Amino acid sequence: MSESEVKHSLRVKGRLLSASEIERTLVRLAHEVVEKSNGCEGMVLVGIKRRGVPLAQRLASLISTIEKCPVETGTLDIQFYRDDLSTADIRPVVTPGAIGCDITGKDVVLCDDVLYTGRTIRAALDALFDHGRPRRVQLAVLIDRGHRELPIQATYVGRHVPTSSREIIEVKFHEVDNDEQVLLVERVD
C-alpha cells in the first residue's frame, strides 16, 4: 500500500496537543527530570530515531536552561533490534560512538514520542546496552497510549491517552514533519 493510500485510510478524530501545549508539556517534563534526578550532573538524554531525537534535544535544552549546565544528547537507531520486523541471522553491527556520546556510568533518559506496546523500548534497551553500561536508565515519552505487550513503564509521561486498537497517535515535530501538533487518528476500513 502506498503512503497516499495509507493516508486515505486514516481519519483525524481530533487534536490532542497544539504546538504551545507540546511546549508546556516539555517544560513540565524537564522540571520532573531535574527534580527526580537531583540536577543534571552525569545525565545523557538519548532519543530513539525519529521523533525521539527532537524530544531528547528539546528536553536537554530546557534542562540546561533550568540547571545552568550542559546536558549531552545522543541518537539511537533501533531498526536492527526490532523483534517485530524480519531479521537476518547476524547480530546488528554496533559502530563505536554511533550514539554520539558516552553512556557508560551515566544516568540515561531514553526519549520517545509515543509509548505503545513496549517493543520499541525493549529494542532500544538492547541497542543502548550494546553501546555501553549506563548507571541508570529512565524513560521519557510525550504520549503513553497503553496496550502494553511487555512489562515496560515510562518514568516521565507528558500525557496518558487511552486509545482503542484502531486508533493511532500521530506526533508531528517541526524538526521532522514541518508541523507541530499531536493528532488522534483512526483507521477507516
Side-chain angles (χ1 to χ4, degrees):
M1 191 179 288
S2 74
E3 190 174 326
S4 62
E5 289 172 321
V6 170
K7 294 220 182 275
H8 292 306
S9 64
L10 298 176
R11 177 179 63 89
V12 175
K13 290 183 73 175
R15 184 166 70 179
L16 301 173
L17 295 172
S18 65
S20 62
E21 290 168 322
I22 290 171
E23 181 62 26
R24 281 195 305 275
T25 300
L26 294 181
V27 168
R28 178 179 52 79
L29 286 174
H31 282 280
E32 287 178 24
V33 171
V34 168
E35 184 177 335
K36 191 164 188 161
S37 302
N38 292 319
C40 65
E41 190 174 325
M43 181 185 296
V44 176
L45 275 73
V46 176
I48 299 171
K49 270 190 169 176
R50 288 193 35 167
R51 289 172 187 84
V53 174
L55 180 64
Q57 292 167 340
R58 290 182 188 189
L59 283 172
S61 175
L62 290 165
I63 292 167
S64 293
T65 301
I66 294 164
E67 287 296 294
K68 312 261 187 295
C69 72
V71 177
E72 285 186 280
T73 61
T75 299
L76 193 60
D77 186 348
I78 63 160
Q79 79 182 53
F80 296 113
Y81 290 85
R82 301 287 307 217
D83 66 354
D84 54 353
L85 302 175
S86 60
T87 58
D89 286 337
I90 57 172
R91 290 278 299 154
V93 176
V94 177
T95 307
I99 288 181
C101 59
D102 183 21
I103 61 164
T104 301
K106 303 281 180 80
D107 287 335
V108 173
V109 180
L110 200 55
C111 300
D112 202 12
D113 57 345
V114 178
L115 178 56
Y116 182 36
T117 63
R119 292 186 181 277
T120 296
I121 304 308
R122 188 219 43 89
L125 289 169
D126 286 348
L128 192 68
F129 280 86
D130 276 351
H131 289 280
R133 187 178 189 282
R135 187 177 80 79
R136 174 171 71 163
V137 178
Q138 299 176 83
L139 176 60
V141 296
L142 185 61
I143 305 289
D144 182 344
R145 62 171 287 198
H147 302 279
R148 223 67 86 239
E149 295 174 2
L150 298 171
I152 290 177
Q153 177 179 325
T155 316
Y156 310 103
V157 178
R159 184 174 285 183
H160 291 274
V161 180
T163 60
S164 74
S165 57
R166 295 179 56 83
E167 294 172 324
I168 298 169
I169 304 285
E170 284 189 359
V171 173
K172 298 181 182 289
F173 286 138
H174 283 296
E175 297 91 334
V176 177
D177 309 289
N178 291 324
D179 193 7
E180 187 83 10
Q181 62 181 331
V182 179
L183 299 173
L184 178 63
V185 298
E186 184 176 42
R187 285 189 203 100
V188 180
D189 293 333

